Amino acid sequence: MRISSSIRAAGRLAIVLALAGSVLGIFAESADAQEGRRRRTGQDARPIELTPEQVTQITKVANDRRLNSDDLIAAAKTFMPSGRHDEYVLFSSGGQCGQVFAIGVPSMRLLRSIAVFTPESWQGYGFAGDADPVTESLKINGYPVLWGDTHHPALSETKGDYDGEFLFIGDKANARVAVIDLRDWETKQIVKNPLTISDHGAAFVTPNTDYVIEGGQYATVLGYGYAPPEDYKKSYRGMVTLWKFDRAKGRFDVPNSFALELPPYWQDLADAGKNASDGFFFINSFNVEMATGGVEKGNPPFEAGASKRDMDYLHIIDWKKAEAAFKAGKAKPINGFPVLMLDTLIADGILYFAPEPKSPHGVDVTPNGQFMVVAGKLDPHVTVYSIEKIKAAIASGKRAGSDEYGVPILDFDSVVETQVELGLGPLHTQFDDKGYAYTSLFLDSAVARWTLGGEYAKLNPEQPWKLVTKTPVHYNIGHLCAAEGDTVSPDGRFLVSMSKWSVDRFLPTGPLLPQNFQLIDIAATGTAMPVIYDSPIGVGEPHYAQMIKADKLKTWLVYPEIGWNPHTQKLDPNAPKKGDEGVTRQGNKVLVKMTAVRSHFFPEHVEVNEGDEVTWRITAIETAQDATHGFCIGGYNINLSLEPGEYTEFRFIADRPGTYPFYCTEFCSALHLEMMGYFHVKPKTPVAAAQAIAPGTDSR
Amino acid sequence: MRISSSIRAAGRLAIVLALAGSVLGIFAESADAQEGRRRRTGQDARPIELTPEQVTQITKVANDRRLNSDDLIAAAKTFMPSGRHDEYVLFSSGGQCGQVFAIGVPSMRLLRSIAVFTPESWQGYGFAGDADPVTESLKINGYPVLWGDTHHPALSETKGDYDGEFLFIGDKANARVAVIDLRDWETKQIVKNPLTISDHGAAFVTPNTDYVIEGGQYATVLGYGYAPPEDYKKSYRGMVTLWKFDRAKGRFDVPNSFALELPPYWQDLADAGKNASDGFFFINSFNVEMATGGVEKGNPPFEAGASKRDMDYLHIIDWKKAEAAFKAGKAKPINGFPVLMLDTLIADGILYFAPEPKSPHGVDVTPNGQFMVVAGKLDPHVTVYSIEKIKAAIASGKRAGSDEYGVPILDFDSVVETQVELGLGPLHTQFDDKGYAYTSLFLDSAVARWTLGGEYAKLNPEQPWKLVTKTPVHYNIGHLCAAEGDTVSPDGRFLVSMSKWSVDRFLPTGPLLPQNFQLIDIAATGTAMPVIYDSPIGVGEPHYAQMIKADKLKTWLVYPEIGWNPHTQKLDPNAPKKGDEGVTRQGNKVLVKMTAVRSHFFPEHVEVNEGDEVTWRITAIETAQDATHGFCIGGYNINLSLEPGEYTEFRFIADRPGTYPFYCTEFCSALHLEMMGYFHVKPKTPVAAAQAIAPGTDSR
């Protein structure tokens, strides 16, 4: 066999480099480092003037691909040179996939998925053995409920501005709310609402994140109770829960959280007041008809029964008064949770209703807090309420009667500033920095731009309270999201239309299609508001999103110290250190202390007896960004993601004998495939083979 | 309260339209329909010439964003006007997230995620109650293993070309292989390899998809056996399994599947021969040292021990001879599965070894089947083997000895065509239509373009077997994928570099970063081979991918008939029809027959008693594309995706009393939120409340 000495030498060099590269994290720098820097940062970029040759080149590509100049401009507005960072992060709900997505704007690229209510193995979320804190947190009444329907993410706010520290999101299907820590982009806490099976308006935050609001939707018997549909008015209720947030701990302060009993009106979206309306929050409703369906009995179906009346009720809630009532001990426990009952809300002036047309969806507070914009859904108008008028109406004592639960109703004309006719199916409104508002029109399949009045009238040359233009979207938009559009100081510039139906926009993906996020350029005043990018959402169904300027985030690149426990967000004394590795036994309890570093685990052989209770701890001894390892044991449903510095413990019973390779599941180095070991589970009986698996058992 | 009559009328119109729109699927057409058609299809597109004003506009955007003309060209090459379809679909593994991704090329947008080894609730995959066929298929020996490590997708081939019918992919961690039906993009079958805990080289297909190849990696005791590491040489083995595929049924034909026993050399990637090499397949290996690590005992770790020798063994397997031996009854059962043992492989001339440098990763067969390119990993060369030389060497009887298991070794120089030095860390090779080959260089962090020889020399003006150019990638590329690059007729044009480390390419996403897919334009000959797009992969860690021309797919837009069962891929007699809905009871067994149509479920109230065994069937009575409904019962871990025409049955025990809203989880219409009903579970004892949930139990 002829192997030239140069090949041998090159081979040895390669292996030295591979090992060195593995240990030191060295990889070859790209040859065009300077150009790379320009692309990455935009610094040192000299303004260009296109030469005739370059224009010819660009034109040729455009004609090959049948693009026109509008397409070229859109492409130029959204393209990201290699290494250039997006300006904004759009944190979007994932809908019934149970996750949260982080999407870069303007490139519209999916940067990262964050697991919340559904186990996800790349992140090692829910695959850390028995008593995994994640799967424990996903149990309801002891039952695993391993999915969620995420709808409305809310970034933590300080003085009504995004502060980039936390993200909250609710699970509509199972009435849970999660806290995501934006230092390491991981879910840290899930609370289960003890009053109701499902919710909808979660989450929304008060301007300093004192409370995270979780609103209900489908009325039920509070406290997980039971009553037949005939008892609807008597026994079914809505609710809204105020979860107190302890920012220092980064967790909900459950003992200081409480709820409000509401009539069974199917509450919908919510928003907190700010500035002029600080201290209030607002919730829509859409079934004050209290329809109970029963199409099988010949009744009108819910869709008809819930849509009969011209008006539903805007819920106006003074949360500071509610907080005071709670602290004064006026709440009653339902299922052990403090609830301010309707009579207290009425007596203490906490809850008022104002009529709102017509099965509305979104209520959105303008940045200065002065107005509340209600999107009519089955009415073609947005109805604008004024906080000054609301406060005056409350103070005046004048009422337009009360509902059958005794809740006072404010007179519509006394609290409405104006109505603006926009089109068919208004659902949700966002704002920019030029006095414009943007409302999604589901049935028109368009985004409407219109002008606010009041203080906003001076920000643009248009008439106030007027429709300016509509941009068609594809198709049937639900929510929309403008840059910082829920805060006291929106940025304008970009708006994302979150359409529910994509139909023909993308290649067919089977009978199940993706949703379509379209980026709209809202930087120019007037009627120029083009769609500049279509982005399919390849999994899940986003509902609502929030967009934050990227430089507000203070994301960790690695964990702060080696041995860091992400569940507790601090150093863990149990984290094995280098030199401290090994396998120790006490009876049938085995403790494995392991370290992981490029490119080996230490130890590489772990031997236990069938039936042993194993506690296994691993520390990733890495400090370089992106030097993440994985760890899995095939057949035992275990996979971990070990980011630089991370410590994890997992426990399980080694009840399946055999010879199990464990290996690094996240490509870490040139010798990544060699980063493995064996987990030997010695069978009780000397016979070697485990229970035979019928080959290719086809369960499907 | 003043409500103008015009508002009332508009409201009534809106509701009529909403209901009509819901039922008939009418939504407003965009005003710029003609322009829309041009953008969507490129038809009627007239070649453009940019006016000076347009050049100014484009230049201004470029300068605002600090782009140069190369960026503008890249943007023009990848931008997709609204509704325009990508030309190719890149089917990528998802790595340890357990899924498959479909990415459009050249836009690089994620079109759709396909759930395979990990439950996913948007697709309703694994959330259909007890005895869900999906969760049943994910059990190993009765234990749920609810994740997988997907590595190598293989599209089904006919005569060595992608036919767009099926996709196969393996789960490295748990040694399973899945079949995905590309008519509806759903996983239909999962088989568990009964011989081994984990695998790696899965899947690869023979040129007419007679067999799907699943290769092993970490040696173990076949049949899920046990042996201590000291018995490695004696008791540990590798394997490769050939799963027979029944195309008419779209499922593996397990009784006609078999495996080959291999020495414990840690097999790596595989590829099937075609044309000149049809009938063979090839597998690399990288631990013929048979190192067993044990760093805790003071031994060299695996990463060093497995890398000592200059050569490992290329496995050359004559699968037609193997098939003949199997049919002749020569296989022995291990764990009930037929295995051709080493002595049979040797005696029947099924298995040969050829030395290959040095812990190589990929073996890739050129489109004409003439050459096998081995990427050296720890050697800076690709080593090119010739099938003619291999066949001649086999026929000659000349051997360079045999390994300690008796497998004959062919003489290196007799089977090698040439070696080409490319750079540090060659891993994997793809091909185009111009006689070029492309190899990933992990340590150099680059893609190398080089020229093939033999018949290919005439396809381009370069010297054969020569490095032409390298394009830096960011960073540390693993696999790459050229358009149709694994077939007998690659398209060229596009190549995707699948890098393992993204580091600074994207905004920080916490200590866990996405991977980076970079699109490279390979259309031009010579040294012009630029990166034109960076695309973060927001979840998972892809390894290998395959890219197919989109028009080869025959994807269904909806299910063919109403009442279609995707598990069996046919009409199901149990599917409830319109008019056939209702709830019936026999003892404590309740059958619910339900239909779903915009925008209600029928029935809307389902009442059972605590403890009842419920069988629930739903048919989605829709025929319009994208008219998908969801269905969930909160708190019962049930969520379904009901695509147009789809029928699903789910079963569970109603052991949690209460009043449960069920609702549509996939936005379907203006009255989507009203598309709900109540599931009443009457408690055994008259007391209403279910077991109290401690509020806000913080398990984390």
Side-chain angles (χ1 to χ4, degrees):
Chain A
M1 173 191 308
R2 169 171 50 97
I3 306 169
S4 80
S5 56
S6 70
I7 290 175
R8 273 214 197 89
R12 271 190 282 270
L13 171 64
I15 196 178
V16 167
L17 279 167
L19 288 169
S22 297
V23 173
L24 300 172
I26 295 166
F27 31 77
E29 205 11 50
S30 63
D32 58 345
Q34 208 173 20
E35 166 62 2
R37 206 168 305 124
R38 177 207 67 80
R39 288 201 307 259
R40 270 200 313 281
T41 61
Q43 284 165 2
D44 309 328
R46 281 179 288 274
I48 63 165
E49 264 196 50
L50 294 172
T51 67
E53 292 76 26
Q54 289 167 339
V55 173
T56 301
Q57 260 187 303
I58 292 168
T59 307
K60 181 178 191 316
V61 175
N63 286 330
D64 284 346
R65 298 197 64 234
R66 302 171 188 267
L67 307 180
N68 64 12
S69 70
D70 286 340
D71 298 328
L72 291 173
I73 288 169
K77 284 178 176 176
T78 54
F79 178 79
M80 210 57 75
S82 183
R84 185 79 62 85
H85 292 180
D86 281 292
E87 296 186 65
Y88 292 89
V89 180
L90 179 76
F91 285 101
S92 172
S93 53
Q96 73 287 69
C97 76
Q99 318 290 1
V100 164
F101 303 132
I103 292 168
V105 179
S107 75
M108 299 303 287
R109 299 170 301 177
L110 174 66
L111 301 173
R112 165 94 199 252
S113 182
I114 303 173
V116 189
F117 296 106
T118 307
E120 200 289 297
S121 38
W122 167 63
Q123 296 159 72
Y125 190 78
F127 293 89
D130 304 337
D132 176 347
V134 170
T135 41
E136 288 306 298
S137 75
L138 292 174
K139 285 181 175 169
I140 296 176
N141 265 344
Y143 288 89
V145 180
L146 301 174
W147 78 285
D149 188 13
T150 59
H151 273 236
H152 306 114
L155 288 159
S156 57
E157 292 181 13
T158 301
K159 297 188 184 159
D161 237 327
Y162 299 145
D163 54 47
E165 297 191 354
F166 296 96
L167 184 80
F168 309 97
I169 188 154
D171 164 13
K172 172 177 177 173
N174 307 294
R176 303 187 277 198
V177 188
V179 183
I180 297 169
D181 186 333
L182 291 178
R183 290 173 298 176
D184 64 349
W185 291 40
E186 288 192 355
T187 301
K188 301 303 179 187
Q189 180 186 31
I190 290 173
V191 291
K192 167 76 194 99
N193 196 302
L195 300 174
T196 177
I197 306 282
S198 61
D199 66 28
H200 184 233
F204 298 90
V205 296
T206 56
N208 286 297
T209 323
D210 295 299
Y211 290 100
V212 176
I213 298 163
E214 179 194 8
Q217 185 146 85
Y218 304 121
T220 183
V221 182
L222 294 185
Y224 266 63
Y226 169 83
E230 304 78 65
D231 288 359
Y232 188 82
K233 287 188 190 179
K234 184 174 72 132
S235 305
Y236 288 47
R237 290 292 182 269
M239 67 95 214
V240 59
T241 298
L242 276 68
W243 295 100
K244 186 97 184 77
F245 186 61
D246 182 334
R247 192 186 281 268
K249 291 185 181 163
R251 305 285 186 274
F252 292 125
D253 176 3
V254 177
N256 284 307
S257 306
F258 62 95
L260 281 60
E261 177 198 23
L262 297 174
Y265 291 157
W266 291 12
Q267 288 73 29
D268 198 4
L269 291 173
D271 201 5
K274 47 202 161 196
N275 292 335
S277 49
D278 191 12
F280 286 86
F281 69 87
F282 310 90
I283 314 180
N284 289 333
S285 58
F286 63 99
N287 186 14
V288 303
E289 294 86 340
M290 291 191 283
T292 51
V295 63
E296 66 281 2
K297 303 185 184 92
N299 296 343
F302 277 110
E303 61 174 318
S307 312
K308 266 171 65 175
R309 288 175 44 161
D310 286 326
M311 292 285 188
D312 290 277
Y313 291 132
L314 175 66
H315 294 40
I316 299 162
I317 294 168
D318 184 328
W319 63 263
K320 293 196 173 168
K321 283 192 174 169
E323 184 182 46
F326 165 62
K327 288 180 173 173
K330 296 184 184 180
K332 291 209 190 126
I334 295 182
N335 213 4
F337 196 76
V339 183
L340 296 170
M341 307 302 283
L342 274 163
D343 52 2
T344 304
L345 304 183
I346 294 160
D348 284 22
I350 293 169
L351 172 65
Y352 295 89
F353 286 156
E356 56 174 5
K358 170 186 169 64
S359 291
H361 193 52
V363 55
D364 299 285
V365 179
T366 55
N368 60 7
Q370 193 182 5
F371 302 113
M372 295 82 230
V373 178
V374 169
K377 191 163 105 183
L378 298 182
D379 179 277
H381 295 79
V382 283
T383 303
V384 184
Y385 299 77
S386 148
I387 190 63
E388 283 126 29
K389 294 188 172 176
I390 287 172
K391 287 180 180 175
I394 292 173
S396 75
K398 183 159 161 267
R399 305 286 177 260
S402 56
D403 78 337
E404 51 190 288
Y405 296 92
V407 178
I409 302 170
L410 304 177
D411 173 64
F412 182 79
D413 294 323
S414 302
V415 294
V416 166
E417 181 76 13
T418 185
Q419 290 184 297
V420 186
E421 184 165 347
L422 298 182
L424 296 176
L427 288 189
H428 176 225
T429 302
Q430 288 276 276
F431 308 99
D432 72 4
D433 57 338
K434 298 183 181 56
Y436 289 124
Y438 301 85
T439 297
S440 54
L441 302 174
F442 177 81
L443 287 168
D444 271 356
S445 194
V447 171
R449 163 187 269 176
W450 49 285
T451 51
L452 298 171
E455 292 174 19
Y456 292 104
K458 59 184 183 290
L459 288 180
N460 63 63
E462 328 255 9
Q463 287 297 306
W465 306 126
K466 204 169 86 64
L467 173 64
V468 174
T469 189
K470 291 194 226 185
T471 294
V473 294
H474 315 85
Y475 298 91
N476 300 89
I477 172 177
H479 287 272
L480 27 62
C481 176
E484 311 242 330
D486 284 328
T487 69
V488 293
S489 62
D491 273 19
R493 301 185 61 207
F494 296 114
L495 180 135
V496 176
S497 156
M498 294 176 272
S499 291
K500 295 302 181 182
W501 286 46
S502 62
V503 195
D504 62 349
R505 293 294 96 179
F506 310 112
L507 281 170
T509 55
L512 183 60
L513 278 67
Q515 318 299 317
N516 186 10
F517 272 19
Q518 286 175 304
L519 182 64
I520 298 177
D521 181 349
I522 59 168
T525 53
T527 58
M529 204 172 81
V531 167
I532 58 174
Y533 200 90
D534 280 38
S535 186
I537 300 299
V539 66
E541 186 199 31
H543 293 273
Y544 199 88
Q546 290 193 329
M547 202 191 308
I548 181 173
K549 198 90 200 295
D551 59 21
K552 288 185 173 179
L553 295 164
K554 305 166 199 77
T555 308
W556 288 343
L557 303 185
V558 296
Y559 279 109
E561 295 177 73
I562 293 184
W564 194 270
N565 183 333
H567 293 303
T568 58
Q569 285 292 51
K570 45 185 196 263
L571 201 53
D572 197 308
N574 280 342
K577 294 179 176 52
K578 199 162 154 57
D580 183 38
E581 302 96 343
V583 182
T584 51
R585 167 184 291 288
Q586 262 195 322
N588 74 331
K589 293 184 183 7
V590 178
L591 173 63
V592 181
K593 297 200 284 188
M594 176 176 273
T595 56
V597 70
R598 287 168 281 169
S599 306
H600 60 270
F601 294 103
F602 192 136
E604 290 180 318
H605 290 271
V606 174
E607 189 153 331
V608 304
N609 300 318
E610 181 183 353
D612 278 350
E613 295 175 26
V614 182
T615 299
W616 198 312
R617 299 173 177 160
I618 310 180
T619 307
I621 303 187
E622 301 282 3
T623 53
Q625 185 190 10
D626 215 354
T628 292
H629 295 288
F631 177 91
C632 83
I633 303 178
Y636 269 95
N637 204 40
I638 285 161
N639 188 57
L640 314 174
S641 176
L642 300 163
E643 287 105 65
E646 183 167 353
Y647 158 67
T648 301
E649 175 188 286
F650 61 99
R651 285 180 268 148
F652 63 104
I653 297 174
D655 55 359
R656 279 156 277 175
T659 313
Y660 293 84
F662 55 80
Y663 65 94
C664 174
T665 40
E666 177 89 15
F667 211 106
C668 57
S669 57
L671 296 169
H672 159 73
L673 289 182
E674 289 80 348
M675 185 165 177
M676 64 84 66
Y678 282 96
F679 176 52
H680 305 272
V681 182
K682 208 165 164 187
K684 285 184 181 152
T685 57
V687 175
Q691 170 188 346
I693 308 164
T697 298
D698 185 5
S699 320
R700 301 192 63 209
Chain B
M1 174 191 311
R2 168 172 49 98
I3 308 170
S4 79
S5 57
S6 69
I7 291 177
R8 273 215 197 88
R12 270 191 280 271
L13 173 63
I15 196 179
V16 168
L17 278 167
L19 288 170
S22 296
V23 173
L24 300 173
I26 295 165
F27 32 77
E29 205 12 50
S30 62
D32 58 344
Q34 207 173 19
E35 166 63 3
R37 206 169 303 124
R38 177 206 66 81
R39 287 203 307 262
R40 272 200 312 279
T41 61
Q43 285 165 3
D44 308 326
R46 282 178 288 273
I48 63 166
E49 266 196 49
L50 295 171
T51 67
E53 292 76 27
Q54 289 167 338
V55 173
T56 300
Q57 262 187 304
I58 292 167
T59 307
K60 181 176 192 316
V61 175
N63 288 329
D64 285 346
R65 298 197 65 234
R66 304 170 188 269
L67 307 180
N68 65 12
S69 68
D70 285 341
D71 298 327
L72 291 174
I73 288 170
K77 285 178 176 176
T78 54
F79 178 79
M80 211 58 74
S82 182
R84 184 80 60 84
H85 291 181
D86 281 292
E87 295 185 65
Y88 293 89
V89 180
L90 180 75
F91 285 101
S92 172
S93 53
Q96 72 289 67
C97 77
Q99 318 291 0
V100 164
F101 303 132
I103 290 168
V105 179
S107 75
M108 299 303 286
R109 299 170 300 176
L110 174 65
L111 300 173
R112 166 97 195 247
S113 182
I114 303 173
V116 188
F117 297 106
T118 307
E120 200 290 297
S121 38
W122 167 61
Q123 296 160 71
Y125 190 79
F127 294 88
D130 304 335
D132 177 345
V134 170
T135 42
E136 288 305 299
S137 75
L138 293 174
K139 284 182 176 168
I140 296 177
N141 264 346
Y143 287 89
V145 180
L146 301 174
W147 78 286
D149 187 12
T150 61
H151 273 237
H152 306 111
L155 287 159
S156 57
E157 292 181 13
T158 300
K159 297 188 185 157
D161 238 326
Y162 298 145
D163 54 46
E165 296 191 355
F166 297 96
L167 184 79
F168 309 97
I169 188 152
D171 163 13
K172 172 176 177 175
N174 307 295
R176 301 188 277 198
V177 187
V179 182
I180 297 169
D181 186 332
L182 292 177
R183 290 174 298 176
D184 64 349
W185 292 39
E186 288 193 357
T187 301
K188 301 302 179 188
Q189 179 186 31
I190 290 173
V191 291
K192 165 77 194 101
N193 196 301
L195 300 174
T196 176
I197 306 284
S198 61
D199 66 27
H200 184 232
F204 297 90
V205 296
T206 55
N208 286 295
T209 324
D210 294 299
Y211 290 99
V212 176
I213 299 162
E214 179 193 8
Q217 184 146 84
Y218 304 121
T220 182
V221 182
L222 294 185
Y224 266 62
Y226 170 83
E230 304 77 64
D231 288 0
Y232 188 82
K233 288 189 188 179
K234 184 173 73 128
S235 304
Y236 288 47
R237 291 291 183 268
M239 67 94 215
V240 59
T241 298
L242 276 66
W243 295 99
K244 185 99 186 73
F245 186 61
D246 182 335
R247 192 185 282 267
K249 291 185 181 162
R251 304 285 185 275
F252 291 125
D253 175 3
V254 176
N256 284 307
S257 306
F258 60 96
L260 281 61
E261 177 199 22
L262 297 174
Y265 291 157
W266 292 12
Q267 287 75 29
D268 198 1
L269 290 174
D271 201 5
K274 49 202 160 197
N275 291 336
S277 50
D278 190 13
F280 287 86
F281 68 87
F282 310 90
I283 314 180
N284 290 333
S285 58
F286 62 99
N287 185 14
V288 301
E289 293 86 342
M290 291 193 281
T292 52
V295 64
E296 65 280 2
K297 303 184 184 91
N299 296 345
F302 276 110
E303 61 174 319
S307 311
K308 267 172 65 176
R309 287 175 46 158
D310 285 326
M311 292 284 185
D312 289 276
Y313 290 133
L314 174 66
H315 294 40
I316 299 162
I317 294 169
D318 185 328
W319 63 264
K320 294 200 173 167
K321 284 192 176 171
E323 184 183 45
F326 166 64
K327 289 184 172 170
K330 296 185 186 180
K332 292 206 189 125
I334 296 181
N335 213 4
F337 196 74
V339 184
L340 297 171
M341 306 302 283
L342 274 163
D343 52 0
T344 304
L345 304 184
I346 294 161
D348 285 24
I350 292 168
L351 172 66
Y352 296 88
F353 287 155
E356 54 175 5
K358 170 188 168 62
S359 290
H361 193 51
V363 56
D364 298 285
V365 178
T366 55
N368 61 5
Q370 194 183 5
F371 303 113
M372 295 81 228
V373 178
V374 169
K377 191 164 105 182
L378 299 181
D379 180 278
H381 295 78
V382 283
T383 303
V384 183
Y385 297 78
S386 147
I387 189 61
E388 283 126 29
K389 294 187 171 177
I390 287 173
K391 287 182 181 176
I394 291 173
S396 75
K398 183 160 163 269
R399 304 287 175 259
S402 57
D403 79 336
E404 51 191 288
Y405 295 92
V407 179
I409 302 170
L410 305 177
D411 173 63
F412 183 79
D413 294 322
S414 302
V415 294
V416 166
E417 180 76 15
T418 184
Q419 292 186 293
V420 186
E421 183 164 351
L422 297 181
L424 297 176
L427 288 189
H428 175 223
T429 301
Q430 287 277 277
F431 308 100
D432 72 4
D433 57 337
K434 296 184 182 56
Y436 289 124
Y438 302 86
T439 297
S440 53
L441 302 175
F442 178 80
L443 288 166
D444 272 356
S445 194
V447 171
R449 163 186 269 177
W450 51 283
T451 51
L452 298 170
E455 293 173 18
Y456 293 104
K458 59 185 182 292
L459 289 180
N460 62 62
E462 327 257 8
Q463 286 297 306
W465 306 125
K466 204 168 87 60
L467 174 64
V468 173
T469 188
K470 292 194 227 185
T471 294
V473 292
H474 314 86
Y475 298 91
N476 300 87
I477 171 177
H479 287 272
L480 27 61
C481 177
E484 309 244 330
D486 282 327
T487 69
V488 294
S489 62
D491 273 20
R493 301 185 59 208
F494 297 115
L495 180 136
V496 175
S497 157
M498 295 178 268
S499 291
K500 296 301 179 181
W501 286 47
S502 62
V503 195
D504 62 350
R505 293 293 95 177
F506 309 113
L507 282 170
T509 55
L512 183 61
L513 278 66
Q515 318 300 317
N516 186 11
F517 271 21
Q518 285 175 303
L519 182 64
I520 297 177
D521 181 351
I522 59 168
T525 53
T527 57
M529 204 171 81
V531 168
I532 57 174
Y533 200 90
D534 280 39
S535 186
I537 300 299
V539 66
E541 185 198 31
H543 293 273
Y544 200 88
Q546 289 193 329
M547 200 190 310
I548 181 174
K549 197 88 200 293
D551 58 23
K552 287 184 174 179
L553 296 164
K554 305 165 199 74
T555 309
W556 288 343
L557 303 185
V558 295
Y559 279 109
E561 297 177 72
I562 293 185
W564 194 269
N565 183 334
H567 294 304
T568 59
Q569 286 292 51
K570 45 187 197 265
L571 201 54
D572 196 309
N574 282 342
K577 295 179 175 54
K578 197 162 154 59
D580 183 36
E581 303 95 343
V583 181
T584 51
R585 166 184 293 288
Q586 261 193 320
N588 74 332
K589 293 183 182 6
V590 178
L591 172 63
V592 181
K593 297 200 286 188
M594 175 175 274
T595 56
V597 70
R598 287 168 282 169
S599 308
H600 60 270
F601 293 104
F602 194 135
E604 291 179 316
H605 290 270
V606 174
E607 189 153 329
V608 305
N609 300 320
E610 182 183 350
D612 278 352
E613 296 174 27
V614 182
T615 298
W616 198 312
R617 299 174 177 160
I618 310 180
T619 306
I621 303 186
E622 300 282 2
T623 54
Q625 186 190 11
D626 215 356
T628 292
H629 296 288
F631 177 90
C632 83
I633 303 177
Y636 268 96
N637 204 40
I638 286 163
N639 188 58
L640 314 175
S641 177
L642 300 163
E643 286 107 66
E646 183 166 355
Y647 158 67
T648 302
E649 175 187 288
F650 61 99
R651 285 180 267 150
F652 63 105
I653 297 173
D655 53 1
R656 280 155 277 173
T659 313
Y660 293 84
F662 56 79
Y663 65 94
C664 174
T665 40
E666 177 90 13
F667 211 106
C668 57
S669 58
L671 296 168
H672 160 73
L673 290 181
E674 290 79 350
M675 186 165 176
M676 64 84 65
Y678 283 97
F679 177 51
H680 304 273
V681 183
K682 207 164 164 188
K684 283 182 184 154
T685 56
V687 175
Q691 171 188 343
I693 309 164
T697 297
D698 186 4
S699 319
R700 306 189 64 212

